[in-house]
Amino acid sequence: MRNYLSIPFLLFALIVGFSACTGSGSTQQLESPELQLSAEGPLYAGANSSTATWEFDLAEVLGNAEKEVSEARITSVKVQLTGADSLPAMEKMVFEVTSKNTPMTRIGLYEGKITPGQPFTLTIAEEQEDLAAAFADGKLTFVGDFDMIDEEYLGNVAFKLKVKFELATN
Amino acid sequence: MKKLIAVCAFLFACTYAMAQDANAIVGVWEPGNGKARVKIDNIDGKFYGRIVWLKEPNDPKTGKPKTDVNNSDASMKNVPLRGYRMLKDFQYKGKGVWEDGTIYDPESGNTYTSVITMKDANTLDIRGYVGVKTFGRSDTWRKLKVN
């Protein structure tokens, strides 16, 4: 009995157990196509929302029809205000994501000034809802809330958006 | 053929009426304590409420705009409270009721399951609870007229 509890045996059992739990899954990085976050005017001073949706065929995205996403999280969000210098003064962005079966979850925060043509990267939340179910929905909705400093702007505002994900698949 | 057209027209009318009812919640609302104003929007068929005005926008201790200091995620404590999305993921269930959503209390950092019931065109009953609806707490919100 004592032989079975020796350290090499326990280590071996641990490795076998760990391998069994991890199965044949793998991790892969995925980047969204360039999306457009749009906010329809009129816009007023304070927080305004811009939204973008990404519809996709999961099999195409994963490059394998038999794979399933078991875990998903966002690792990077890059945004760039598009348009001319006549746009209103803006700063800060809170970035959230949702889908049909996933609650809206806060993913990122940017605290600086937003200048047309200058891309900025958001700080990513350490705690995130698992977005695996959102991938099963085949459609993700992104929401970027930005602060407008000017009193009023009658036009629309648009941002280029690229999101990177880390997916665990099996 | 006429029957099919009639059925399609009826279904379209029902869907349109349902969407109209669902959007009755869209607008700016003031909670019972009058400390904030919340704008409710429809995003992709679900309803969300953002704080658009605060009676006391700055932290009296620092003089700076209030942020979500009670958030359990340290990386998100700097998110400004003005603009904060405190109502999330409500879905219209018919008869003036929106369910399956959550309400966040920035003063405690707690999130509660929530049900919204429209009492009349200008009054909402918002109930937040943990687990069992019976043991929750309700608040009455009134609609603000925005010019």
Side-chain angles (χ1 to χ4, degrees):
Chain A
M1 181 68 185
R2 196 173 280 170
N3 284 344
Y4 287 108
L5 295 175
S6 64
I7 290 174
F9 175 78
L10 288 174
L11 277 174
F12 176 73
L14 201 69
I15 291 165
V16 169
F18 182 74
S19 308
C21 290
T22 51
S24 59
S26 63
T27 303
Q28 71 182 76
Q29 311 295 318
L30 173 72
E31 188 172 23
S32 72
E34 187 173 280
L35 303 168
Q36 183 168 292
L37 275 171
S38 310
E40 218 172 276
L43 306 171
Y44 299 100
N48 291 276
S49 295
S50 58
T51 57
T53 54
W54 179 31
E55 284 187 71
F56 50 84
D57 179 339
L58 188 59
E60 202 174 288
V61 161
L62 297 177
N64 184 337
E66 287 170 12
K67 274 188 182 176
E68 276 183 5
V69 177
S70 56
E71 268 182 57
R73 71 188 313 271
I74 288 175
T75 54
S76 160
V77 178
K78 201 173 176 184
V79 179
Q80 182 185 324
L81 176 60
T82 59
D85 291 334
S86 60
L87 287 166
M90 288 178 237
E91 62 178 10
K92 295 178 186 170
M93 181 174 276
V94 178
F95 188 81
E96 301 191 87
V97 62
T98 185
S99 78
K100 191 179 174 196
N101 293 306
T102 314
M104 189 174 277
T105 178
R106 195 174 315 122
I107 297 294
L109 172 67
Y110 171 71
E111 295 188 86
K113 262 189 133 184
I114 299 174
T115 311
Q118 286 188 11
F120 57 90
T121 305
L122 282 73
T123 306
I124 300 298
E126 285 156 15
E127 295 171 16
Q128 289 182 26
E129 287 276 336
D130 184 3
L131 296 174
F135 272 88
D137 289 336
K139 182 181 173 185
L140 291 170
T141 300
F142 302 103
V143 182
D145 293 331
F146 57 93
D147 256 15
M148 200 173 89
I149 300 163
D150 290 357
E151 274 301 302
E152 189 182 63
Y153 182 69
L154 299 177
N156 301 332
V157 166
F159 303 86
K160 286 180 189 170
L161 168 69
K162 275 215 163 183
V163 184
K164 282 184 186 167
F165 302 86
E166 188 177 83
L167 308 178
T169 56
N170 54 31
Chain B
M1 185 65 182
K2 274 183 185 172
K3 255 186 186 174
L4 183 68
I5 292 171
V7 169
C8 288
F10 176 72
L11 288 175
F12 176 77
C14 289
T15 309
Y16 181 74
M18 183 86 166
Q20 289 290 94
D21 287 349
N23 284 324
I25 200 174
V26 171
V28 180
W29 299 83
E30 189 172 89
N33 63 19
K35 287 183 180 177
R37 286 173 191 166
V38 177
K39 186 176 180 221
I40 299 180
D41 287 312
N42 178 343
I43 299 176
D44 242 7
K46 293 200 272 186
F47 294 85
Y48 300 87
R50 254 183 324 112
I51 298 172
V52 290
W53 178 89
L54 286 166
K55 191 176 182 181
E56 193 180 54
N58 294 334
D59 186 335
K61 287 178 195 162
T62 62
K64 290 182 177 171
K66 284 182 178 173
T67 61
D68 186 21
V69 290
N70 294 314
N71 196 305
S72 60
D73 184 343
S75 64
M76 292 288 111
K77 283 181 189 286
N78 285 343
V79 171
L81 273 194
R82 198 181 71 164
Y84 199 98
R85 193 165 275 111
M86 63 178 295
L87 299 177
K88 287 185 178 182
D89 304 305
F90 285 87
Q91 294 184 53
Y92 188 58
K93 301 292 180 183
K95 297 181 179 174
V97 178
W98 290 258
E99 289 184 346
D100 301 337
T102 57
I103 183 166
Y104 178 72
D105 176 9
E107 292 186 346
S108 65
N110 293 325
T111 300
Y112 303 95
T113 308
S114 180
V115 176
I116 301 176
T117 308
M118 184 166 264
K119 294 291 178 195
D120 60 55
N122 296 308
T123 316
L124 294 180
D125 176 88
I126 300 208
R127 186 159 190 82
Y129 60 96
V130 179
V132 186
K133 208 189 286 185
T134 319
F135 300 117
R137 195 172 66 85
S138 284
D139 190 24
T140 301
W141 291 22
R142 65 184 178 88
K143 195 168 196 175
L144 296 180
K145 288 201 167 51
V146 180
N147 295 323

